[in-house]
Each structure stands twice: as structure tokens, then as C-alpha cells.
Amino acid sequence: MALKLFNTRARSVQEFAPLDPAQKRVGMYCCGPTVYDFAHIGNWRTFVFADLVRRYLEFKNFQVKHVMNITDIEDKIIRRVRETETTLPEFTGKFEAAFFEDLKTLNCLLPHEIPRATEHIPEIITLIEKLIARGIAYQAADGSVYFSIEKYRGGGGNYGQLLKLNFEEMRVGERVKNDEYAKESIADFALWKSRGPDDGDTFWPSPFGEGRPGWHIECSAMSMKILGTSFDLHLGGEDLIFPHHEDEIAQSEGATGKPFVKYWLHGAHLLVEGKKMSKSLGNYFTLRDLLAKGFTGREVRYLLLTAHYRETFNFTLDGLQGAKTALARIDECVIRLRALAGGTAAVPNSDFLNAFSAALDNDLNVSAAWGAVFEWVRKINRKFAEDPLIVAEAASALAAWKKIDSVLGIGLIDESEPPAELNQLLLDRFRARHEKNFKRADQIRDELKAKGWAIEDSPKGQRLKQL
Ligand code: AMP
Ligand code: ZN
């Protein structure tokens, strides 16, 4: 079955067909973090969503090139660098490192390329020069370079591809220098911001004078450098639709005259306990806050993946508690299957795979996909209870689960590492043998086997190995 996705540009669900004539290679760009603070769980909803899209495309045998930038120069960063009296690399480096740690904790695959804005100043300048040469950008009296919406539209450019804009209210030549602005102020936006007194040491030389790039042009320059002038997928949270993505389209198509992106995917926002996250409401969580409360990255990932990406999701601590129970049900089933299947190779059970992929093909209907997972767990448990599974069936179910978990990414993360309580059992067995209590030692060995683990001799002594 073909994958269908909601394309913000088309305002409808469309069949996904990459630009590659062989229908194999897919270029995907997701706007990355602005490294001015620790990413909060709202941000993580969007990055986990991007990870799901990439993993599912790979499941469908596409060859994905996943690019995610690091916004390491932007208005908020400049402000914080000034307030904290640090240097730009010192300040952003700390939050970038934290971001990658969190990415790993949430078991997100590392994008294939992770360009930093500050390392692409020459490409950004070249793009701005192109826009000036085409008469779509101009340098204003304040020294900054702006994108002219009027000139772009006059030349046939379509501004407002992602959302309806009211051009009646547009006052030609009105400018915004801020990176973020409301859609009521459709105005020329900054491509290059001339050096101001608040910028400190953060500026670069350019043909337009000293200054720094605007946020939107960074993504146009980096995405097209790596993925080409036209590519397949561009993702981000819904707040990026305007102005960020609309401006990216205008800059890119204005400079190249070619269509920029085929499919625009936007994830809906995350609320916490029914409200917008805010520090003053006490409902503002980073991943670290949740880990400090004793939750795991795996539980957070599971919860973030339970709702459809286009629905606003209400994150609650009770929901996170529920994630523990749900994961335990899956784990128990998988552990029993492992114990029975041992290392038997098998063809993945196609019923389970088909139910799962039919759900995700339908605009990534993840709730239906979880429905298929829990239905599978119920079926397996029933079989264990009533009509014992045979080894081949268990192996085939397990093979299907492995494939499915290559998309969900919530499996027992390090499969070779036994849970702590099993290591404790191994120690108990060691002690029992030492005390010559061989009956107890054998009992423990059987107990471990039933849980899917064998005892193996290694140069470092005995250790547990998964069956
Ligand atoms: P930023 O680091 O602010 O550039 O944001 C990184 C990503 O997180 C962007 O794609 C945003 O759209 C997304 N984002 C920000 N707030 C939320 C939220 N509350 N829920 C979901 N995504 C969000
Ligand atoms: Zn971007």
C-alpha cells in the first residue's frame, strides 16, 4: 500500500511519491533546535515525530537522507549570550551537547547531516547575493538586507503557499527585523541584519557590511546545499508555518526559480496538563526534568508517540505513569516470546506487519498502529494461556516485532544488557553454588531461562546472554 501524508501546502492528504524517478531516494529536512536553552518536551514531540517519519520511510524501503540543522545564531541566542556574558560558541555548545544527549535518551536516530548555521555563512551570503541580483532583495538605510514581498510577487512568486494571507492589509515596503512575527504583519523580512550595538562580538563580514543572517535564510541555504534546490520533505512544528517556512519558500524559490519542497509536514503542539507550557504555571518540562522524576526516555518517547501528529497532544504526568504499564505489557510478551523462540530464525508474521503498516500508511495514524500492537500482545498472551505457541510461531511473531520496533524505537533499548533484577539472580546463583546449594542454583538457572536468559561463561566470569 502507498504511504499517504497530509501536505500543508496542498492542505490535503496526498500519496507520497518522492522526486527521485526511481522512487527510492528521499531528501528530508527538519528544522532543528535553536540552541539557547534545553529543549522542552514540546520540542521533543516534534523531533520524535521527525524520527518516526524517517524510520517509517526506511521501513518502506526508501533510502532517506535526513538533515536537521542546528540554529546556533538567532535573535534569542544573541540576547542570552549578552545576558550571560559568555561567548557564542561557549553558550550554544552547552545546549547543543545537551540536545544530542537527550536525542539519544529518546532513542531518536541521528540525522545523516547536522549542519550548523554559523558554519554556513558563505552559502547564506551567496543566496542573499542571488536574491539581490534578481531584484527581490534590497539593502535598506539601516544597512540590513530585506526580502521584498512586493517584488517577489510581482515577478510571479507565490507568497502564502502554506497559509492564506490577506495582502489587502500589506503595506508595501514595511519591514520586520525580528525573526518571529505575526501573520497580520506581512512585511519585508530581514535576510542579513546589520551589526547593532547589542550584537557584541557576534557578527561576520559580508558584501553588505558586518552583520549576521536572519533565521529563515539559514534554513534555505543549508537545506538546498545538502539536499539540492528541490527536495521531498520539510518538517517542523506548526508554529513554524508562518513566517519561518513561508519565508524559506519565498527565499529559495525566489533565488532558484524552481519548486523548493514537495511535501510540507507540520506537527501539532503539545500542551501540558491541558495548558500551554509556561514556567510560571509550573508545567514546563525539559526531558531532564522528567528523568529527575524517575521516568525513562523510553517512557517519554512512548507517550509522545501515542497521539497522531496533527492532533494537539495533552501531556500529563499521569499519562507518563500509564506509559510504564503499557510498556511493561509489551515487554512481558516479548520476553516470553524470546524465551520460547531462542535464536530460531523466522519470516516475520505478515498479518501483524500488514495491520501495522496499513495504519501508518494512512497519514501516520499512530493510534491505529498502537492498536495493532496491543491486539497482537493480546493474541500472543491468549495463545500462551490456552494453546501453547510453537517455537516457529514465536520466532515469526518476534521477527515481526523487531521490524515494527525499528519504526517505534521503544524496544528494550540495549537488548544484550539484562535488567538489574536478573543480574541479582545471577549473583544469588553464584552464592548458592559457593554454598554448595546446587538445588537452588538449578532453580535460578531455570528461572532465568524462563525469562529468556542463559548463563554463559566469559573471561570476566559468568554473565547473562539473551536466548
Ligand atoms: P526551536 O528550538 O524553538 O526552534 O523549536 C524546535 C522545534 O520545536 C520546532 O519545530 C518547533 O515548531 C517545535 N515546537 C516548539 N514548541 C512546541 C510545542 N509546544 N509542541 C510541539 N512542538 C513545538
Ligand atoms: Zn528552519
Side-chain angles (χ1 to χ4, degrees), residues 164-450:
K164 267 203 163 28
L165 293 167
N166 183 0
F167 290 100
E168 306 282 294
E169 286 174 10
M170 179 179 166
R171 272 173 292 173
V172 170
E174 195 166 314
R175 294 188 277 269
V176 282
K177 201 170 171 186
N178 291 349
D179 282 329
E180 286 168 272
Y181 52 92
K183 71 169 185 279
E184 290 74 41
S185 58
I186 318 165
D188 293 358
F189 55 89
L191 302 171
W192 186 262
K193 303 182 186 200
S194 64
R195 183 182 170 192
D198 288 341
D199 291 347
D201 295 334
T202 313
F203 63 89
W204 287 264
S206 85
F208 341 107
E210 287 173 344
R212 61 185 170 96
W215 172 34
H216 319 304
I217 196 80
E218 297 173 1
C219 279
S220 285
M222 291 184 281
S223 62
M224 290 198 293
K225 179 191 174 197
I226 299 170
L227 295 172
T229 47
S230 303
F231 57 92
D232 301 296
L233 286 158
H234 197 127
L235 279 72
E238 62 186 355
D239 56 316
L240 299 193
I241 295 175
F242 190 89
H244 188 54
H245 288 163
E246 201 62 61
D247 289 352
E248 274 191 50
I249 298 176
Q251 298 159 153
S252 308
E253 299 193 351
T256 68
K258 302 210 178 85
F260 177 42
V261 169
K262 192 167 178 191
Y263 303 93
W264 286 89
L265 266 54
H266 291 102
H269 264 195
L270 174 132
L271 300 177
V272 175
E273 309 283 350
K275 296 197 177 70
K276 201 174 159 180
M277 245 187 297
S278 105
K279 285 196 172 138
S280 59
L281 286 175
N283 66 351
Y284 181 95
F285 295 123
T286 63
L287 178 64
R288 281 133 204 267
D289 295 333
L290 299 173
L291 299 183
K293 286 182 187 296
F295 294 105
T296 63
R298 190 170 172 245
E299 287 152 8
V300 177
R301 180 181 173 95
Y302 170 80
L303 188 60
L304 293 178
L305 277 180
T306 49
H308 188 262
Y309 74 97
R310 286 196 290 122
E311 276 166 20
T312 306
F313 178 60
N314 188 23
F315 182 97
T316 63
L317 290 176
D318 278 351
L320 200 48
Q321 204 63 44
K324 267 190 202 297
T325 320
L327 286 172
R329 284 188 56 207
I330 299 175
D331 289 351
E332 197 190 322
C333 175
V334 172
I335 286 169
R336 289 172 83 181
L337 285 174
R338 273 189 197 149
L340 182 59
T344 314
V347 175
N349 178 303
S350 58
D351 288 348
F352 184 24
L353 281 184
N354 291 344
F356 178 78
S357 63
L360 288 189
D361 276 344
N362 179 16
D363 191 27
L364 302 170
N365 187 344
V366 80
S367 337
W370 285 116
V373 169
F374 285 105
E375 180 53 34
W376 171 77
V377 169
R378 249 189 309 275
K379 249 194 219 154
I380 300 281
N381 285 345
R382 207 178 307 131
K383 283 205 171 178
F384 268 121
E386 293 164 5
D387 149 31
L389 273 172
I390 55 169
V391 171
E393 264 182 305
S396 162
L398 204 53
W401 169 248
K402 274 196 181 149
K403 255 187 104 49
I404 282 167
D405 194 48
S406 73
V407 179
L408 299 172
I410 50 101
L412 300 166
I413 288 172
D414 185 353
E415 297 198 351
S416 56
E417 200 49 46
E421 68 271 18
L422 298 194
N423 276 328
Q424 185 57 47
L425 274 178
L426 186 66
L427 277 178
D428 292 349
R429 181 170 180 274
F430 180 78
R431 203 168 299 126
R433 280 168 62 101
H434 187 70
E435 289 162 3
K436 303 209 172 349
N437 184 350
F438 297 112
K439 195 166 161 232
R440 172 74 189 132
D442 287 351
Q443 254 174 4
I444 294 177
R445 192 195 52 216
D446 293 344
E447 201 177 321
L448 286 167
K449 192 169 169 218

Side-chain angles (χ1 to χ4, degrees), residues 55-69:
R55 284 170 177 263
Y56 192 57
L57 288 168
E58 287 177 347
F59 174 94
K60 303 270 302 173
N61 292 321
F62 290 110
Q63 199 180 311
V64 184
K65 183 158 193 171
H66 175 195
V67 183
M68 182 197 66
N69 71 297

